[in-house]
Amino acid sequence: MDIQKILGLIAAPFTPMKENAINTELIPKYAEKLKADKLSGVFICGTTGEGMSMTLDERMKVAEKWISEQTEEFKVLVHVGTTSFKQSEELARHAEKSGAYAIGCMGPSFLPPAYVDELVGFCAEVAAGAPGLPFYYYHIPSVSGVKFPMVEFLQKAKEQILNLAGIKFTDNNFMDMQQCLELDNGKWDILHGYDELLLAGLAFGAKGAVGSTYNFMAPLYYGIMEDFETGKLEAARQKQAQSMQVVNVLNRYGGAIAAGKVLMKQTGVDCGSCRLPLKNMDQTKYKNFLNEIESIGVF
């Protein structure tokens, strides 16, 4: 497969909910906001999108609505990961049929693979469901519990997964990340996945990134990228420090999803509540949270 590398920022969008049901009618407005912020696309139904908390039918409906907003400049990557390769394969087929740009899949968290070969085998079955789409492995060991050197994964997966494009690399092992970036003369598309460490990812060679806070802070991160490219490292560090402050506050008030949805509401895109087991923010915390965010001065 001819790999077209993704440049710029990809948002990991929240899945809009209303009274514990998905609210796909909000997605066009959501997409309009992200396009206005110059996002290169979206990686839907992943961790931020609570994909593993939804039914397959819900995930398909969300995918269809986002794909209807896709343009050449705004790509839709569909996370199809589940604990069953058969279900993931079904989601992959649907994504290809619906016209998605690419698919991604994290490693199975239930009965996780003990060896890289087992992970490659799982991903090969999933990728075969959408042979015409680029396949990205979603490396997020802090969530999936699947932790192998990704350079080893690429070396073995490229022999079995003909539509392999690269990795959504959400880990802070930058040695492994750089080895992936340099493997096969830089062939693979390695998308950086830690918003609060974007500057480090850029320093190691990343050109594209996927993250949850890009939903509401894209201008800050594009500023980091511009400062890095023009050699203004101190300015880039200052912006990255602001990002870290925001992420720290998000983590203290329920995490990137529950607290992130509150910030999305402040931007005019109300994504509603989260699904169990996540806990939604109560009114007392809501006010304190917004006061702390405002004091950082990013928005």
Side-chain angles (χ1 to χ4, degrees):
M1 171 172 283
D2 182 22
I3 299 171
Q4 301 294 321
K5 295 185 179 181
I6 297 173
L7 306 178
L9 302 178
I10 297 285
F14 306 94
T15 296
M17 302 272 185
K18 190 174 184 179
E19 297 178 357
N20 208 30
I22 59 171
N23 179 21
T24 59
E25 295 309 307
L26 186 67
I27 289 175
K29 180 180 179 181
Y30 198 161
E32 182 180 3
K33 184 228 181 307
L34 297 181
K35 290 174 183 178
D37 285 346
K38 309 301 181 185
L39 273 295
S40 297
V42 286
F43 184 81
I44 67 168
C45 296
T47 306
T48 305
E50 300 176 84
M52 299 288 273
S53 298
M54 293 190 286
T55 66
L56 296 190
D57 182 62
E58 287 176 323
R59 289 172 70 166
M60 289 179 186
K61 288 177 179 177
V62 169
E64 288 168 5
K65 202 69 172 181
W66 274 111
I67 291 168
S68 70
E69 299 296 325
Q70 182 169 249
T71 67
E72 188 174 341
E73 294 78 26
F74 188 80
K75 299 172 174 60
V76 177
L77 292 74
V78 182
H79 174 246
V80 299
T82 69
T83 56
S84 162
F85 81 80
K86 296 294 288 183
Q87 288 186 324
S88 294
E89 193 176 43
E90 183 178 347
L91 290 172
R93 283 196 299 270
H94 175 266
E96 183 171 35
K97 181 180 178 181
S98 301
Y101 172 79
I103 58 170
C105 180
M106 71 170 65
S109 57
F110 178 70
L111 300 178
Y115 304 99
V116 173
D117 288 336
E118 295 174 352
L119 176 61
V120 171
F122 179 91
C123 290
E125 292 287 352
V126 176
L133 298 186
F135 174 85
Y136 288 82
Y137 176 64
Y138 181 9
H139 181 50
I140 184 166
S142 62
V143 173
S144 68
V146 180
K147 188 173 180 67
F148 299 112
M150 285 295 97
V151 67
E152 183 181 350
F153 171 84
L154 286 175
Q155 288 168 333
K156 294 188 174 184
K158 66 182 180 181
E159 304 297 332
Q160 297 186 45
I161 304 175
L162 298 182
N163 52 334
L164 180 65
I167 296 173
K168 179 185 181 294
F169 199 102
T170 309
D171 193 16
N172 56 11
N173 185 341
F174 289 107
M175 177 178 172
D176 187 28
M177 180 180 175
Q178 186 167 30
Q179 288 179 308
C180 291
L181 284 162
E182 294 180 349
L183 185 67
D184 297 326
N185 296 315
K187 174 181 178 179
W188 307 104
D189 192 14
I190 309 300
L191 300 170
H192 179 72
Y194 265 127
D195 313 17
E196 63 271 36
L197 298 175
L198 176 61
L199 182 56
L202 297 174
F204 279 92
K207 300 295 185 183
V210 182
S212 59
T213 62
Y214 304 156
N215 284 287
F216 42 77
M217 291 199 301
L220 177 71
Y221 292 104
Y222 274 127
I224 292 172
M225 298 179 84
E226 182 179 351
D227 288 341
F228 177 78
E229 290 296 329
T230 56
K232 300 175 183 176
L233 294 184
E234 185 55 39
R237 292 188 191 107
Q238 290 174 5
K239 292 181 177 68
Q240 188 69 82
Q242 286 186 304
S243 159
M244 291 178 179
Q245 286 180 280
V246 172
V247 170
N248 279 334
V249 175
L250 289 171
N251 289 338
R252 286 194 289 105
Y253 281 88
I257 304 172
K261 280 194 169 184
V262 171
L263 284 186
M264 282 306 298
K265 183 177 181 179
Q266 296 303 113
T267 71
V269 182
D270 187 355
C271 293
S273 59
C274 303
R275 278 197 174 166
L276 292 170
L278 295 179
K279 186 177 180 180
N280 296 295
M281 198 181 297
D282 62 39
Q283 287 301 311
T284 301
K285 286 186 176 181
Y286 189 99
K287 184 177 180 180
N288 293 337
F289 168 69
L290 291 180
N291 285 338
E292 286 197 41
I293 288 293
E294 186 177 351
S295 70
I296 296 171
V298 172
F299 298 95

